[in-house]
Amino acid sequence: MKTIFFDLDDTLLDVHSKQIDPSSMEILQALNAKGYRLGIASSRPLERIMGIPHINEINWDGYVTTNGVEVYDQNLCHLEDHSFQQEDLDSIFAFGQKYQIPIFSVGQIEMLTGINPTVRLFMKKYDVVDYQCKPYEGEKQKLITYITTDVETVYQKLKEEFPLYHSVKGGSFNIDIFPKGYSKLTGIHTLMQHWKQPRNNFMAFGDSYSDICTIQAAKIGVAMYHALDPVKAVADYICPEDRPDAIAQTIHHFGLL
């Protein structure tokens, strides 16, 4: 097993500092040197990944972005692109307007359709600082996130009104929506096929609902200490402590270095 995939928010990006911990940088560079393939598997689109401080100091072999909707090789060439069509985007933003739910989206521009106290919590958690606050006007967006305090109700409404889309609860106040049929795992399988490797012969780190499929399928699935209970339930290993060097400790625990 020479391939490892990392979720970003609250996994590779420390849950407290929102940065890549120096211990993680050191361990990733050591894995690079030992010939491990390293991949990112994130709900973020590529635009929001490339803005992370120090992210390009690691030699990444592949990127699963927007929850598997877009997949890139090490040279940032598209292997898969199943982004929303314009009519889909029009319907998705109309839903937010209909129910007065603010939407954060990334693509042609980074934008919010409104700001309230819950949106400000979201902005702090996901480090949203460079954005436009404006109504949707037909921009070609990739990541679509509804921000609400009533996640369960909105989640059910999305399932009813958009049966052909895939909704993922991203946290306590946000829901991501994607084209149906794609996930972090489908993106990982695209990369594993590209590398001519057995499809599930990888290690995966994660913490949220969108990571359940990858952790369950992985040869070694790792849940972070603070991961949601459904994630921990399918993991082979749970980081035993909430500490910045949890990833480094786990890599050493499995004897990979």
Side-chain angles (χ1 to χ4, degrees):
M1 195 281 300
K2 297 284 287 186
T3 305
I4 310 173
F5 285 94
F6 299 89
D7 170 50
L8 290 177
D9 293 291
D10 296 342
T11 300
L12 187 57
L13 299 180
D14 179 66
V15 67
H16 302 295
S17 71
K18 307 303 180 186
Q19 303 290 320
I20 304 176
D21 188 76
S23 67
S24 296
M25 288 296 300
E26 183 179 343
I27 209 75
L28 291 172
Q29 289 165 346
L31 289 166
N32 274 157
K34 285 286 188 180
Y36 283 88
R37 288 186 186 86
L38 302 182
I40 288 171
S42 176
S43 294
R44 292 188 181 215
L46 189 66
E47 294 86 342
R48 291 213 86 228
I49 293 172
M50 290 303 161
I52 296 170
H54 308 296
I55 197 75
N56 289 320
E57 294 175 23
I58 304 302
N59 294 323
W60 298 103
D61 294 281
Y63 305 79
V64 176
T65 74
T66 327
N67 207 47
V69 172
E70 292 187 287
V71 183
Y72 300 83
D73 68 10
Q74 62 182 356
N75 299 314
L76 300 181
C77 296
H78 261 125
L79 298 178
E80 298 277 355
D81 184 1
H82 305 282
S83 300
F84 284 120
Q85 300 300 307
Q86 191 61 54
E87 58 267 28
D88 299 317
L89 291 168
D90 292 342
S91 298
I92 287 165
F93 279 92
F95 177 95
Q97 187 173 28
K98 175 182 176 181
Y99 293 106
Q100 297 185 314
I101 303 168
I103 295 174
F104 172 69
S105 64
V106 180
Q108 188 176 334
I109 62 172
E110 191 161 311
M111 60 180 277
L112 282 159
T113 59
I115 296 180
N116 60 29
T118 307
V119 172
R120 293 193 185 281
L121 288 173
F122 172 87
M123 292 167 66
K124 182 178 180 181
K125 178 177 175 63
Y126 293 103
D127 194 29
V128 178
V129 292
D130 185 16
Y131 64 92
Q132 296 182 42
C133 187
K134 62 184 290 296
Y136 177 66
E137 296 175 324
E139 293 85 356
K140 185 66 173 175
Q141 302 297 85
K142 297 177 181 179
L143 171 67
I144 315 289
T145 301
Y146 296 100
I147 305 170
T148 175
T149 54
D150 194 358
V151 166
E152 196 56 45
T153 298
V154 174
Y155 179 72
Q156 292 303 322
K157 284 183 180 294
L158 286 168
K159 289 177 66 176
E160 292 167 9
E161 297 199 22
F162 298 128
L164 298 181
Y165 303 157
H166 178 49
S167 301
V168 179
K169 290 179 273 189
S172 56
F173 39 69
N174 51 297
I175 304 168
D176 298 325
I177 188 165
F178 306 98
K180 202 163 192 174
Y182 306 99
S183 66
K184 291 182 181 180
L185 183 60
T186 64
I188 286 173
H189 284 165
T190 294
L191 283 170
M192 296 300 280
Q193 182 178 19
H194 178 68
W195 297 327
K196 297 180 172 55
Q197 297 297 308
R199 56 195 272 133
N200 292 332
N201 193 31
F202 62 90
M203 184 180 197
F205 287 79
D207 73 301
S208 66
Y209 287 108
S210 62
D211 300 311
I212 290 174
C213 57
T214 64
I215 288 173
Q216 192 168 31
K219 185 172 182 178
I220 303 174
V222 179
M224 305 306 288
Y225 176 83
H226 55 268
L228 299 172
D229 287 341
V231 182
K232 291 179 177 178
V234 300
D236 299 299
Y237 181 79
I238 301 169
C239 296
E241 296 181 66
D242 184 12
R243 48 191 289 177
D245 64 347
I247 287 176
Q249 291 294 322
T250 301
I251 293 296
H252 286 302
H253 171 83
F254 283 100
L256 301 185
L257 288 174

